[in-house]
Amino acid sequence: MAETSIEWATTVWNPTTGCDRVSPGCDHCYALTMARRLKAMGSAKYQHDGDPRTSGPGFGLTLHPDTLTTPLGWRQPRRVFVNSMSDLFHARVPLAFVQRVFEVIAATPQHTYMVLTKRAGRFPRVAPRLTWPGNLWVGVSVESAEYLARVDDLRTVPAAVRFISAEPLLGPLDRLDLTGIDWLIAGGESGPGARPLSLDWVRDLIARCDRWGTAPFVKQLGAVWGRQHGADSKGGDWTYWPQDLRIREYPLSAEAVSPQGAVDQPQPSGR
């Protein structure tokens, strides 16, 4: 467990670590870079290397069953990002292990858990074989219009909240249908080699959220915009942003938060 600077979560939990790049959104993966550093520092969880063509030092897919009981010791409600350093639906994560993660989630209903994947193609096959906890939010990464099919696959999942992470947003999503989607996170790319974000792409997503009743959350405007406008290195300091983009909302109904409505929801901002 670790506290996190990720704006939409309070804690990260990594029952698996490691991954493989599958699409352009992975090109500047922060987790791959961090795994390399953690391996050099001698961290036990990051000593398994991945395929150099798609992964890297310390970033080979690894299961950590010893971490499964960690959330059982957390008493106060948290918003937990599951696998900030991996992808729970990676092809080499056995479905039985995914179910064990889900069982821990179900056993700790005071927390809200967020799982984010680029491998939504597994959903139609595996969703009927899993027992989905009521306090689990499930999302897909969609960095460009080429990957909109992930959203269709997401709609097959019986999650309490379905969400999209359009980060790093690398192009317009002008064919995006938000039917059945509760929440949308948008953000530009940070780090070395960051690709630019058009604010028009973000404004279009906000308008789509309004049309479909989806909660929008603008996370950051990216390193390129930040350098151009004197903001921080991620463009995450919204005091510099245009007023109409200062929006960070969560799904509002108590039923969408968790069966108990246990996690306090930040007040909608910017409008």
Side-chain angles (χ1 to χ4, degrees):
M1 186 276 293
E3 302 308 315
T4 178
S5 62
I6 296 170
E7 288 84 347
W8 44 265
T10 59
T11 302
V12 297
W13 172 44
N14 283 290
T16 75
T17 56
C19 201
D20 291 274
R21 287 171 286 199
V22 293
S23 63
C26 304
D27 287 353
H28 303 139
C29 176
Y30 75 89
L32 190 153
T33 301
M34 187 178 297
R36 183 182 302 114
R37 292 186 194 137
L38 290 168
K39 176 179 179 174
M41 293 166 58
S43 176
K45 290 179 71 172
Y46 298 94
Q47 296 305 309
H48 178 208
D49 294 346
D51 186 327
R53 295 169 297 179
T54 58
S55 185
F59 208 52
L61 195 284
T62 308
L63 309 186
H64 299 284
D66 57 309
T67 69
L68 286 173
T69 59
T70 300
L72 302 178
W74 302 339
R75 298 297 174 225
Q76 295 301 313
R78 306 178 185 214
R79 288 191 303 274
V80 184
F81 181 18
V82 181
N83 278 357
S84 62
M85 295 292 291
S86 187
D87 187 328
L88 189 62
F89 287 94
H90 192 288
R92 294 202 301 277
V93 178
L95 198 58
F97 190 83
V98 176
Q99 185 58 56
R100 291 177 68 187
V101 172
F102 281 13
E103 288 167 1
V104 173
I105 292 172
T108 52
Q110 71 272 32
H111 308 308
T112 296
Y113 293 82
M114 295 114 153
V115 169
L116 180 62
T117 184
K118 286 185 173 70
R119 292 166 171 83
R122 286 189 79 185
F123 285 159
R125 299 189 303 274
V126 306
R129 299 164 59 191
L130 293 166
T131 302
W132 296 80
N135 55 329
L136 173 63
W137 299 11
V138 177
V140 295
S141 296
V142 180
E143 64 263 46
S144 67
E146 186 178 352
Y147 299 97
L148 288 174
R150 293 172 181 166
V151 182
D152 293 328
D153 290 329
L154 176 62
R155 281 187 266 265
T156 69
V157 171
V161 164
R162 301 183 190 94
F163 70 95
I164 292 169
S165 175
E167 183 189 21
L169 185 57
L170 303 179
L173 301 182
D174 51 13
R175 297 193 312 276
L176 177 62
D177 178 348
L178 290 174
T179 301
I181 306 302
D182 304 288
W183 191 33
L184 185 143
I185 302 163
E189 190 167 43
S190 58
R195 291 158 284 189
L197 172 76
S198 168
L199 300 192
D200 288 341
W201 304 340
V202 180
R203 290 187 171 105
D204 175 72
L205 291 179
I206 293 170
R208 288 172 186 276
C209 286
D210 285 343
R211 194 179 315 154
W212 270 277
T214 300
F217 189 108
V218 183
K219 179 173 175 281
Q220 61 188 39
L221 300 186
V224 174
W225 189 92
R227 287 194 299 268
Q228 292 171 346
H229 295 84
D232 62 29
S233 61
K234 298 193 302 183
D237 181 352
W238 79 352
T239 60
Y240 292 85
W241 296 8
Q243 183 67 37
D244 65 318
L245 299 183
R246 300 179 192 182
I247 301 172
R248 287 180 176 169
E249 297 181 4
Y250 287 77
L252 296 181
S253 72
E255 293 79 12
V257 176
S258 72
Q260 291 74 24
V263 176
D264 292 336
Q265 295 302 289
Q267 293 298 309
S269 302
R271 56 180 181 171

